[in-house]
Each structure stands twice: as C-alpha cells, then as structure tokens.
Amino acid sequence: IVVCCQSHHSDISARPRNEYKSPRNHESPQERESAFQRRDVKPFHEHFGNAFFAYCPDLKAKFPTNYALVSKMIQAFITNAIESNDMDKLANKFAKSHRKYELKEEHFEGFAEALVDTIQARLGNFGTIELMKIWREEARLIGQQMRKAWKKERKKTRATGKSKHK
C-alpha cells in the first residue's frame, strides 16, 4: 500500500479556520460527518449476516429460516463479543450451543472476516488502515478463541460418549 502525502501549508494558512478542507479528502470534518450520516448503511446484524454467509455459504442452510431469529442471534452474539469483559465465558457459551455442528476452520475465519468487513462498512472513511489492522487482529483472536472452546467442548462430548444437546 502506497500512501501519498502532499504539503498544504500555504493552503491551510490562506483559508479562514472554518473553511479548512482536509488534505486527505478535501472535505471539512463537518462535511465528512454529514456524508457519513447520509450513507445508506444496513443494520449491523444484517450486513454481518450477509457477509458471513458470503464467506460461509454452506452454513446458511443450517440457520433457521426465520430471519428475525437469525438477526436476533447475530445481534446478541456480536454485542456480547464487543462488550464482553470475559471472552472465555462467551466462547464457552458459544461452544456449548454449537457443539453439535460440524464446523471447520474456515467457518471461524469467515466469522472474523465478516466482522471486519461489517465494521469497515460502518466506519467508511473513518476506518483507517491502522484501525482496521487492530479490528482484524481482534476479530481473528475472537474467532480463534471460539474455535478453541468449540473443539474442547466437542472433545468433552465425545469422551463422555453422550451428547448433551437436544
């Protein structure tokens, strides 16, 4: 990635403060905020669900056909993942509720990628390269933690020879 910066010192000093345009995209902060608010942004869970099923189309058939239920599940999980102080507890809860499914590494990777894609879409121009690197790493760690808990739960279920799910 190549980033090009130009000096705009004369441009900045020649304008009154309220007319300053950012050298990055030639919009004032107020114009960028207004443009952000005008964007047609889908609800977070809807964008995430579409992105997730694009990465993992084989899972779409395994979700309930009632999209309101799917939407509620996605919203609850994402909200808990973002706000959680105890990711282990959340990962273990996920693992117990998903132990009956034959998940693959790419499903957890798809989850992380869909989360990053959704966040990037929400942030728009505010999603800097550095910020998105941080989110990508966090999403990857969340996916790994979920996978680790899921594998542990699957082993435990197989070791006991019983399935605790209905």
Side-chain angles (χ1 to χ4, degrees):
I1 298 173
V2 177
V3 178
C4 178
C5 297
Q6 298 175 349
S7 174
H8 291 279
H9 295 290
S10 61
D11 187 55
I12 292 170
S13 61
R15 293 181 186 204
R17 187 165 177 83
N18 63 352
E19 291 182 27
Y20 172 68
K21 302 265 185 185
S22 166
R24 183 171 152 210
N25 61 9
H26 305 291
E27 290 179 338
S28 70
Q30 294 82 12
E31 288 170 327
R32 281 196 312 274
E33 180 66 23
S34 178
F36 180 75
Q37 291 171 346
R38 285 191 311 265
R39 289 186 315 149
D40 182 25
V41 179
K42 292 179 185 175
F44 190 95
H45 64 279
E46 189 176 317
H47 191 280
F48 175 82
N50 292 339
F52 181 65
F53 292 134
Y55 283 108
C56 305
D58 59 314
L59 291 182
K60 189 168 187 168
K62 297 180 188 220
F63 274 75
T65 55
N66 178 346
Y67 190 76
L69 179 59
V70 173
S71 167
K72 186 176 178 182
M73 290 166 44
I74 292 170
Q75 278 182 291
F77 186 83
I78 296 297
T79 299
N80 289 332
I82 291 171
E83 295 176 356
S84 180
N85 291 330
D86 188 355
M87 197 55 213
D88 285 332
K89 183 178 177 181
L90 184 61
N92 290 333
K93 184 177 177 181
F94 164 83
K96 286 180 182 174
S97 66
H98 287 71
R99 70 176 153 237
K100 62 185 172 184
Y101 300 110
E102 294 295 326
L103 300 177
K104 301 173 188 164
E105 177 71 26
E106 56 264 23
H107 297 141
F108 295 96
E109 291 170 0
F111 170 85
E113 290 300 320
L115 181 57
V116 172
D117 288 355
T118 305
I119 291 168
Q120 176 68 61
R122 303 292 290 186
L123 293 175
N125 291 338
F126 297 102
T128 64
I129 292 170
E130 286 303 313
L131 181 59
M132 295 318 300
K133 280 182 184 178
I134 292 167
W135 271 111
R136 189 165 306 285
E137 180 61 15
E138 287 301 313
R140 186 184 66 76
L141 291 172
I142 291 169
Q144 284 179 345
Q145 206 164 2
M146 289 167 45
R147 183 172 185 264
K148 182 180 174 185
W150 177 80
K151 286 177 84 174
K152 183 178 175 183
E153 188 64 35
R154 295 274 294 191
K155 277 185 184 178
K156 189 171 28 171
T157 300
R158 287 183 182 143
T160 61
K162 301 180 213 173
S163 178
K164 297 177 184 178
H165 68 275
K166 294 180 182 182

